[in-house]
Amino acid sequence: RHTRFKCDWSSDVCSSDLVVSNYFIGRVSRAPAWNVAIPVFDGERVLYVLLAGMTPAQLLQILQSQRLDPIWTTTIIDANGIVLARSRDHEKWSGTPNPRQESERTIDSRTVYRSATLEGEPALRALQRSGVADWIITASLPLTAAEAPLWRNLTLWLAVTLGTGFLTLLVALQLAEADRKSTRLNSSHT
């Protein structure tokens, strides 16, 4: 089954948690989908399960509604490592395996690390594991964009340091010259 129900249907024992499936191709629609299943109880007994079939395009709308700068790339990946939605080139990547699934499987909750985009561009990648489904949500920023402020600050710091060093040298030379003149004046007056 595609949906990982937390229910033992033979005994009507079911957890009260909603269950979120992974990516699959619908049997009837032949289109990419994922499900949300919510058990409905009468006391301890499961009466029925509400099942909502969703599409990756609906997740794409959620990503786009965040209105992030286009330089960012956000991605939602299911528990099997399949890309459900991606803010950049969604049609190309939706339904494809996440190449970092094995390394990202070990991440418990959230982290930020150096990585690469699916296109291979070096990036700073923030990763958050969903609390409801075992999905991963990522946001990637090209490394050049992430490091640009650092390089600007480093360049400014270097310029200030060199400028201060040069001014210190000029002042030292002026003081040395003034000291030499003062010493000559004092020796000529004695």
Side-chain angles (χ1 to χ4, degrees):
R1 306 287 294 167
H2 299 293
T3 306
R4 297 172 300 139
F5 290 108
K6 298 176 185 175
C7 299
D8 177 356
W9 298 108
S10 60
S11 63
D12 289 336
V13 175
C14 194
S15 72
S16 60
D17 296 338
L18 67 90
V19 178
V20 180
S21 76
N22 293 312
Y23 177 95
F24 66 93
I25 301 297
R27 290 183 188 158
V28 176
S29 70
R30 303 272 187 238
W34 57 280
N35 290 330
V36 176
I38 305 169
V40 178
F41 294 89
D42 178 15
E44 296 286 321
R45 187 171 174 275
V46 178
L47 294 179
Y48 51 91
V49 175
L50 292 175
L51 184 64
M54 311 295 280
T55 67
Q58 291 168 303
L59 292 173
L60 177 61
Q61 289 174 346
I62 293 169
L63 293 179
Q64 291 171 337
S65 73
Q66 302 306 304
R67 291 188 165 83
L68 292 175
D69 188 297
I71 198 165
W72 286 88
T73 301
T74 51
T75 308
I76 300 174
I77 303 162
D78 77 9
N80 292 332
I82 302 299
V83 175
L84 288 162
R86 190 164 187 265
S87 62
R88 181 176 294 151
D89 295 329
H90 171 77
E91 293 77 20
K92 177 180 178 182
W93 295 104
S94 182
T96 64
N98 171 21
R100 290 173 215 74
Q101 180 63 12
E102 288 309 310
S103 62
E104 290 178 347
R105 185 181 303 274
T106 61
I107 297 171
D108 288 335
S109 59
R110 71 175 83 157
T111 191
V112 176
Y113 64 100
R114 266 187 172 188
S115 184
T117 63
L118 293 176
E119 294 85 2
E121 179 183 9
L124 195 59
R125 185 172 169 98
L127 181 145
Q128 171 75 46
R129 191 166 295 280
S130 166
V132 176
D134 195 22
W135 290 5
I136 294 172
I137 296 92
T138 69
S140 299
L141 179 67
L143 205 51
T144 53
E147 291 178 342
L150 298 173
W151 284 112
R152 277 192 300 270
N153 288 341
L154 180 61
T155 303
L156 179 62
W157 180 82
L158 186 60
V160 168
T161 302
L162 290 174
T164 304
F166 183 69
L167 287 173
T168 303
L169 180 63
L170 286 176
V171 169
L173 289 172
Q174 290 294 325
L175 289 173
E177 181 63 27
D179 186 51
R180 251 194 315 262
K181 284 182 183 178
S182 172
T183 304
R184 269 190 258 144
L185 274 173
N186 283 340
S187 25
S188 67
H189 288 298
T190 42

